[in-house]
Amino acid sequence: MIRREAMTYQEAKDYLYNQTPLFQNIGAGAYKEGLENTLALDCHFGHPHTKYRTIHIAGTNGKGSCAHTLAAVLQSAGYKTGLYTSPHLVDFSERIRVNGKPISPEYVVNFVTHEKNFFEPLHPSFFEVVTAMAFKYFAEQNVDVAVIEVGMGGRLDCTNIISPDISIITNISFDHMQFLGNTLSKIAYEKAGIIKRNTPVVVGESLAETKPVFENKAHEMDAEIDFADEDDWIDKFSLSASGCEIKSSHISMPLHYELGGEYQRKNANTILHAIARLRTLGYGIDDDSVCAGFSHVVELTGLRARWEKLSSNPTIIIDTGHNPAGLVINLHQLKGMNARRIMIVLGMVSDKDVDSSLALMPADAVYYFTQASVKRALDRGKLYEKARKHGLSGRAFPDVPAAFMAALQDSSEDDVIYVGGSNFVVGDLLRFIDGRPVKSLLNK
């Protein structure tokens, strides 16, 4: 008998990336509408998501920050907390965490090895398989509660089999229109699909086109609904060198938020409303835990690239904002910085609204156009040509490290280098840096 060598972690990841269509890499070809595979996997594993409490988070922007911060608050309050988010930036294991610790390579290998004979005939997507893995892992880890971030949309997302204690919808803007619809009300309808019967829902930001959609769905499901933007609990908000400073009459002490970025004001308001709801449901979350979660969200959960400052002199900022609604806030903050020059390392994916994003970009910045190492990446030459039509000037580089190093070599101490446009651009940069100090990359 020929004995096969055990699968390695890299082989297990490659199997998941290549045998189950990965939206992160190929886009529309990986999208599977409907919950049939999800329900089959859930039944096979004995409905693991019913063995712990859950919190469900959807939205166009901000759901990652909200998910990680809520998880940090719950951990600080003593709950063993699962966290399921996507996409990952550097390694697959970032997607599934318990009390901030990523899922182990051994678990991933064992799951793929032992379960592939069951799921292969289903021809599932990558996200369907990984969601089943996450739910099973959380049950086996005996978590008290899991914070579950929607992959896309909500109504037909494979995370939508859970019965959460609370649903959170951060906001609605244009993204993934080919799947979710080409109007804000259609997109809101898909996101509102996570609203469950008799389950409270917090909406972080509503618009004239979206509010009636949420109200109608909440009424249909007998769900109490809070519109956080109509009851602003943030009394004072200011940016600091290490994040944000917040005062709210609903928390007995000032909050230092470890995440920077002007957009965190709205996220913080949404989170505080959600915490208030969780308290009415019996969650033991005191103000000290809220303060600790906000102050140590990066340390507790491993979150990266939310207006993250990699270095000073020059100031280097990385951020995962990748659609017009997210970029416009980042660019406003970027323009407000006291910089001699703004240098932007920019890459985008081909299935996004590239022209709308480029129309927002500052014409007086210096650009380093590039492409990430995924098939969905827009070719840097095409990005360069599109950018020229919007009055943007710069050079094109074959990959993210080359673009970043060129910007770094060109920079002076009083410049700002911004790296973004895509999760995958940021991920490529973080892999390239690999924890090294940025200054060590220069041969000066």
Side-chain angles (χ1 to χ4, degrees):
M1 178 183 295
I2 299 175
R3 185 175 179 179
R4 188 184 183 279
E5 290 293 324
M7 182 179 282
T8 67
Y9 177 51
Q10 187 60 52
E11 288 171 339
K13 291 189 295 182
D14 290 343
Y15 175 88
L16 289 170
Y17 298 154
N18 298 321
Q19 297 301 315
T20 59
L22 173 59
F23 185 87
Q24 181 163 329
N25 285 343
I26 66 173
Y31 181 68
K32 288 185 177 249
E33 188 171 282
L35 298 175
E36 292 82 3
N37 282 346
T38 297
L39 293 171
L41 288 162
D42 184 55
C43 183
H44 173 70
F45 293 123
H47 313 290
H49 64 90
T50 63
K51 296 176 172 60
Y52 43 86
R53 305 173 83 169
T54 55
I55 296 167
H56 208 188
I57 303 182
T60 305
N61 293 311
K63 59 183 182 291
S65 294
C66 288
H68 283 80
T69 305
L70 273 175
V73 169
L74 290 164
Q75 287 172 231
S76 299
Y79 291 94
K80 189 173 186 180
T81 306
L83 178 61
Y84 180 48
T85 59
S86 61
H88 63 266
L89 291 177
V90 178
D91 186 67
F92 168 87
S93 62
E94 298 167 28
R95 294 169 175 261
I96 305 170
R97 296 176 182 266
V98 172
N99 280 357
K101 183 178 180 181
I103 189 170
S104 70
E106 293 77 16
Y107 191 94
V108 176
V109 169
N110 288 335
F111 181 90
V112 172
T113 302
H114 295 139
E115 303 297 343
K116 65 179 182 176
N117 287 340
F118 172 78
F119 63 70
E120 275 182 352
L122 299 174
H123 301 291
S125 71
F126 171 88
F127 197 68
E128 287 169 336
V129 171
V130 177
T131 299
M133 183 193 302
F135 290 176
K136 181 175 184 284
Y137 183 69
F138 294 153
E140 293 176 2
Q141 290 289 306
N142 295 312
V143 302
D144 300 311
V145 58
V147 180
I148 307 295
E149 180 189 333
V150 166
M152 185 195 301
R155 182 175 65 93
L156 296 175
D157 189 78
C158 60
T159 64
N160 203 29
I161 61 172
I162 64 176
S163 298
D165 288 339
I166 183 175
S167 302
I168 302 168
I169 302 171
T170 57
N171 54 52
I172 302 297
S173 58
F174 289 109
D175 205 1
H176 299 301
M177 285 93 79
Q178 67 270 47
F179 308 111
L180 305 180
N182 57 5
T183 67
L184 291 175
S185 59
K186 287 180 180 178
I187 297 171
Y189 173 77
E190 295 299 327
K191 309 282 187 184
I194 72 166
I195 300 175
K196 302 296 195 304
R197 186 163 300 281
N198 298 316
T199 301
V201 56
V202 173
V203 177
E205 184 180 3
S206 58
L207 304 168
E209 304 99 309
T210 63
K211 186 177 179 181
V213 177
F214 297 135
E215 289 177 323
N216 291 339
K217 184 64 175 181
H219 178 74
E220 175 192 337
M221 304 305 289
D222 292 319
E224 292 187 36
I225 186 167
D226 295 332
F227 290 97
D229 58 340
E230 295 181 356
D231 190 9
D232 189 355
W233 289 1
I234 307 299
D235 302 321
K236 290 184 179 179
F237 178 90
S238 60
L239 299 173
S240 68
S242 58
C244 309
E245 309 306 322
I246 298 169
K247 289 186 179 179
S248 170
S249 59
H250 291 264
I251 298 294
S252 61
M253 62 193 75
L255 295 176
H256 168 69
Y257 200 2
E258 194 176 12
L259 304 182
E262 292 179 357
Y263 55 82
Q264 296 300 351
R265 188 189 195 285
K266 293 180 180 179
N267 289 336
N269 187 49
T270 303
I271 294 163
L272 291 180
H273 277 265
I275 289 169
R277 272 289 176 179
L278 291 171
R279 284 170 167 172
T280 68
L281 297 173
Y283 280 76
I285 304 172
D286 59 19
D287 285 1
D288 286 336
S289 299
V290 177
C291 185
F294 272 77
S295 298
H296 303 289
V297 57
V298 173
E299 175 188 343
L300 291 171
T301 68
L303 180 62
R304 299 293 307 269
R306 267 58 172 188
W307 199 262
E308 181 179 347
K309 186 177 179 181
L310 291 184
S311 77
S312 302
N313 305 319
T315 299
I316 300 174
I317 303 293
I318 60 174
D319 193 275
T320 56
H322 59 274
N323 53 43
L327 285 171
V328 70
I329 300 174
N330 285 352
L331 293 172
H332 178 266
Q333 186 170 348
L334 198 59
K335 291 174 187 177
M337 298 179 73
N338 186 25
R340 186 177 73 93
R341 286 186 304 173
I342 296 174
M343 311 167 79
I344 298 179
V345 177
L346 186 69
M348 296 184 175
V349 293
S350 57
D351 53 8
K352 296 289 185 183
D353 187 0
V354 174
D355 282 299
S356 292
S357 294
L358 290 174
L360 300 171
M361 307 301 289
D364 57 350
V366 181
Y367 289 86
Y368 299 78
F369 302 108
T370 188
Q371 64 190 74
S373 58
V374 295
K375 293 179 181 178
R376 287 172 63 202
L378 178 64
D379 177 80
R380 78 253 187 202
K382 293 180 179 178
L383 178 60
Y384 172 82
E385 291 300 328
K386 283 180 176 286
R388 284 184 62 192
K389 294 177 182 177
H390 289 275
L392 309 179
S393 61
R395 293 176 285 160
F397 296 85
D399 54 43
V400 174
F404 176 74
M405 287 304 299
L408 193 58
Q409 293 283 355
D410 293 346
S411 68
S412 300
E413 289 189 350
D414 49 359
D415 292 331
V416 172
I417 300 174
Y418 175 88
V419 182
S422 163
N423 287 285
F424 314 123
V425 168
V426 174
D428 280 1
L429 178 61
L430 289 174
R431 276 187 291 272
F432 169 66
I433 293 175
D434 193 28
R436 293 174 290 174
V438 172
K439 292 289 179 68
S440 72
L441 301 174
L442 284 171
N443 295 317
K444 289 186 177 179

